Amino acid sequence: MAFVLKQLPYAFNALEPYIDAQTMEIHHDKHHAAYTNNLNAALQGTASEGQPIEEILANISAQPVVIRNNGGGFYNHNLFWEIMAPGGAKQPEGDLKKVIDASFGSYQNFKEAFTKAALTRFGSGWAWLVKQGDSLVISSTPNQDNPLMDLAEVKGVPVLGVDVWEHAYYLKYQNRRPDYVEAFYNVVNWDEVTRRFKG
Ligand code: MN3
């Protein structure tokens, strides 16, 4: 059973002005579609065909790099589209706020550390908010790696991630990754982050 590229849960222009419609369309319809198709092609006829993506990622060190790159790309973008939404809460609330305060001291401290992880990732990759037991930590990974992978430096369940590949921001922000990351906070879907933390 092949992996399927899900539709975006909102319109391409829904995250304007923070993330522009053209970037969203190319990012989903071209980049995410390519990761999905390449993953399916690489898995075809192997023992891992039909395995849940989380299982494949948990044993990624045993896989060829084509599955590491495209399996990560498939999973990471599924998460990325869902942890964004137009018009949501601007900050974590309720139980998630308590965990963020306990883990980082405050939302502001969290934001500074997450931004730093996003801006200091050299080249292409992701910054993550990662569930470890009842607590949260911040990490970043290169390329399409993620914290579910057995070879990740910081392992856990990703509950929030920001894509810092240039394809995620270059049309609107060019070289200004800091402006893109700052804008990203306006479209975080904290309800979905909470759901993933509790899941
Ligand atoms: Mn991307």
Side-chain angles (χ1 to χ4, degrees):
M1 205 169 58
F3 292 111
V4 174
L5 178 69
K6 285 198 280 186
Q7 283 201 317
L8 276 186
Y10 37 74
F12 292 126
N13 66 0
L15 305 181
E16 297 259 12
Y18 307 108
I19 302 180
D20 62 287
Q22 189 185 15
T23 294
M24 290 298 292
E25 181 169 1
I26 295 170
H27 201 172
H28 178 272
D29 287 8
K30 304 297 184 192
H31 292 277
H32 196 189
Y35 296 127
T36 307
N37 293 337
N38 292 342
L39 174 64
N40 287 330
L43 284 170
Q44 201 167 19
T46 73
S48 299
E49 192 175 9
Q51 273 186 348
I53 188 64
E54 291 84 356
E55 268 179 42
I56 293 172
L57 298 176
N59 297 289
I60 205 70
S61 59
Q63 298 283 1
V65 70
V66 63
I67 292 181
R68 177 176 172 179
N69 288 341
N70 291 289
F74 172 73
Y75 178 93
N76 294 347
H77 291 84
N78 282 340
L79 177 144
F80 190 50
W81 311 136
E82 290 184 2
I83 59 82
M84 296 190 289
K90 293 298 177 209
Q91 292 190 14
E93 296 170 346
D95 291 345
L96 185 68
K97 175 178 163 34
K98 287 182 196 157
V99 178
I100 285 188
D101 288 349
S103 300
F104 305 107
S106 66
Y107 171 77
Q108 195 56 38
N109 287 355
F110 148 75
K111 191 179 163 189
E112 283 173 20
F114 189 81
T115 296
K116 186 178 176 194
L119 300 188
T120 56
R121 168 50 54 191
F122 184 79
S124 297
W126 293 73
W128 302 104
L129 181 61
V130 183
K131 181 183 179 184
Q132 289 184 337
D134 294 332
S135 160
L136 288 164
V137 297
I138 287 166
S139 75
S140 85
T141 54
N143 304 316
Q144 295 295 353
D145 287 0
N146 70 43
L148 293 176
M149 292 182 173
D150 58 353
L151 41 66
E153 280 176 36
V154 175
K155 285 188 265 299
V157 178
V159 298
L160 175 71
V162 64
D163 185 344
V164 295
W165 285 57
E166 284 185 346
H167 69 224
Y169 61 86
Y170 209 84
L171 289 177
K172 182 176 172 75
Y173 295 98
Q174 293 83 48
N175 60 312
R176 303 187 306 280
R177 190 191 288 187
D179 292 356
Y180 157 70
V181 172
E182 185 60 33
F184 167 76
Y185 293 102
N186 291 287
V187 294
V188 172
N189 181 351
W190 287 108
D191 289 339
E192 176 61 17
V193 178
T194 300
R195 191 190 70 75
R196 286 171 180 265
F197 181 79
K198 290 184 172 176

